[in-house]
Amino acid sequence: LVIDGDMTTTSRDQKKTETDVLSFFRTFLAKKGQDDILLNREQHVTWLKKGLQILPTNFCGLDASRPWFVFWISHALEVLDGYDEALWRPKVASFLGRCQHSEGGFGGGPLQLAHLAPTYAAVSAILVGGGDEAYKVVDRRTMYQFLMRMKHPEGGFRMHDEGETDMRGTYCAIAVASMLHILTDELAEGVPEYVRRCQTFEGGIAGEEGLEAHGGYSYCGLAALCILGRAHSLDLHAFLRWAAQRQMGLEGGFQGRTNKLVDSCYSFWQGAIFPLLHEAFRQHGVDVALPERHLWFSPRPLQTYVFLACQHPGGGLRDKPGKSADFYHSCYSLSGVSVSQYDLDGESDVVGDSANRLVRSDAFYNVALEKAERKTAFFEAAGSIEVDGRRIDGREGSGVAIARKYLLARA
């Protein structure tokens, strides 16, 4: 990092973060080599399983996020190859069934208002469950009605009745519809134009028009369009340039915005952008030099940051040194590492011990790639739905279906 002019709060925080991270690197590498880096898999699995069974009372303020905890923990366990489907699938199905609203969608807990964010979390957790018992929980008819009610005339989606419209809603709605094979033209109408209006001069995507490009919103906007097969609606070259500049030179991890600190959750929010961009260029036949063995970022420094600086000694993963472990950062740091470990041919590039290899995650939905494929037979067989006297013939997004077929054929 080059700091010009007077020191500011931002530059002081950046300097401290660099010093803290470098201290972790030096402490480990002074005694051992990079090949000795180890993911504390069993410790993390034990810590995560406790959270899936019961949460401490101080989590009561997050009562409207309960499907998120199910997803964060379940997905972290599946990429660690520690998710017992026979044990957890019926429990997940039972609980999330009680979170489903009678008029469609899922709330943040039983008897709560339907909201697009926990709806995405619930459907993703159901896919992680990986079987008919879980899949059958979702009422696809009322879900379609809910998604259409959330649709905003300008192309985006409201998060809930009378709620805000931003890029999260767009991704959650499109991803849910695609995962459940109820995506239609009327649901996707106006989405590419809405997302394009939120692309900033930097190249990334903002949460709303006129705001700053942000890693989470950039992933949401790009992934929604990639699912639809419409990513070429964006300036993808500008997007790539912005994303490539978000990997930190010393720390190795990603920042979420320009002049912000490294944060392990952006291992996924930023790291997953690159395979999405690569596939968007490939599908659209853009004349760009597509790398054969990497995705325009450095996976090994990213993994080194997560493994050496973000593993909490008590289990779980954290944002950065000095922070506590939490389920959110455990999920997305591991998701990002998983995405970074696989090249375009399915070959793995793993830092440290070979046991550090994670289960491959799907960059479009953020569930295991195999789970994204497994649900296809069930939801294709489910067929059309009857909504307000109309027959709705839904589908999975063409972009994600083409990409998964391509990846599985090369694996």
Side-chain angles (χ1 to χ4, degrees), residues 222 236-237 239-248 254 270-283 286-302 340 342-344:
L222 177 64
L236 296 179
H237 293 84
F239 203 133
L240 175 58
R241 182 171 59 250
W242 174 81
Q245 293 172 349
R246 301 282 73 78
Q247 188 168 20
M248 308 299 280
F254 286 97
Q270 299 284 29
I273 283 173
F274 296 96
L276 293 177
L277 283 172
H278 192 285
E279 182 61 16
F281 282 130
R282 189 192 71 82
Q283 286 188 19
V286 175
D287 184 17
V288 62
L290 293 178
E292 294 183 0
R293 302 293 297 180
H294 69 87
L295 295 166
W296 299 296
F297 77 102
S298 299
R300 297 185 71 83
L302 173 62
S340 77
Y342 293 87
D343 66 21
L344 302 173

Side-chain angles (χ1 to χ4, degrees), residues 4 64 85 107 111 127 153 210 214 259 276 294 296 324 328 373 392:
D4 296 322
E85 292 182 24
L111 303 179
L127 260 63
H214 182 283
N259 289 332
L276 293 177
H294 69 87
W296 299 296
S324 299
Y328 169 83
E373 176 65 16
I392 303 296

Side-chain angles (χ1 to χ4, degrees), residues 144-215:
Y144 189 82
Q145 292 174 315
F146 169 65
L147 295 177
M148 287 302 297
R149 287 201 311 274
M150 295 305 103
K151 188 163 179 61
H152 193 278
E154 294 184 357
F157 289 83
R158 290 183 290 271
M159 296 301 292
H160 57 87
D161 284 325
E162 301 184 13
E164 71 277 20
T165 301
D166 61 36
M167 203 55 62
R168 296 172 303 155
T170 299
Y171 172 71
C172 290
I174 296 301
V176 164
S178 183
M179 286 189 279
L180 299 176
H181 292 226
I182 56 173
L183 184 62
T184 62
D185 291 342
E186 66 175 353
L187 197 61
E189 184 179 1
V191 168
E193 294 79 9
Y194 169 72
V195 177
R196 179 66 182 89
R197 291 196 301 272
C198 294
Q199 187 172 23
T200 76
F201 72 95
E202 286 187 280
I205 296 174
E208 301 175 46
E209 289 184 65
L211 300 183
E212 182 182 12
H214 182 283

Side-chain angles (χ1 to χ4, degrees), residues 214-405:
H214 182 283
Y217 295 124
S218 292
Y219 169 83
C220 286
L222 177 64
L225 295 189
C226 285
I227 288 170
L228 296 174
R230 295 290 303 278
H232 57 278
S233 301
L234 299 170
D235 182 343
L236 296 179
H237 293 84
F239 203 133
L240 175 58
R241 182 171 59 250
W242 174 81
Q245 293 172 349
R246 301 282 73 78
Q247 188 168 20
M248 308 299 280
L250 186 147
E251 302 94 305
F254 286 97
Q255 61 182 182
R257 291 176 282 161
T258 304
N259 289 332
K260 302 298 282 188
L261 302 176
V262 68
D263 183 331
S264 69
C265 73
Y266 293 110
S267 302
F268 178 78
W269 297 125
Q270 299 284 29
I273 283 173
F274 296 96
L276 293 177
L277 283 172
H278 192 285
E279 182 61 16
F281 282 130
R282 189 192 71 82
Q283 286 188 19
H284 196 53
V286 175
D287 184 17
V288 62
L290 293 178
E292 294 183 0
R293 302 293 297 180
H294 69 87
L295 295 166
W296 299 296
F297 77 102
S298 299
R300 297 185 71 83
L302 173 62
Q303 293 177 48
T304 300
Y305 171 69
V306 172
F307 291 155
L308 291 188
C310 298
Q311 294 193 85
H312 194 279
L317 292 100
R318 57 193 171 198
D319 163 359
K320 60 176 65 70
K323 303 286 188 176
S324 299
D326 62 76
F327 300 119
Y328 169 83
H329 285 92
S330 296
C331 172
Y332 289 108
S333 60
L334 290 171
S335 300
V337 168
S338 170
V339 168
S340 77
Q341 286 183 340
Y342 293 87
D343 66 21
L344 302 173
D345 293 318
E347 297 296 324
S348 59
D349 184 8
V350 179
V351 166
D353 193 289
S354 60
N356 294 344
R357 178 175 175 171
L358 299 176
V359 172
R360 189 172 192 175
S361 193
D362 179 277
F364 294 81
Y365 299 143
N366 198 26
V367 299
L369 182 63
E370 184 273 329
K371 298 284 183 64
E373 176 65 16
R374 192 194 303 182
K375 56 87 181 143
T376 303
F378 177 89
F379 288 115
E380 282 186 349
S384 61
I385 52 177
E386 187 82 12
V387 177
D388 301 326
R390 298 185 300 144
R391 174 177 167 172
I392 303 296
D393 293 310
R395 62 187 184 274
E396 185 172 22
S398 61
V400 63
I402 291 169
R404 192 170 63 247
K405 181 178 180 180

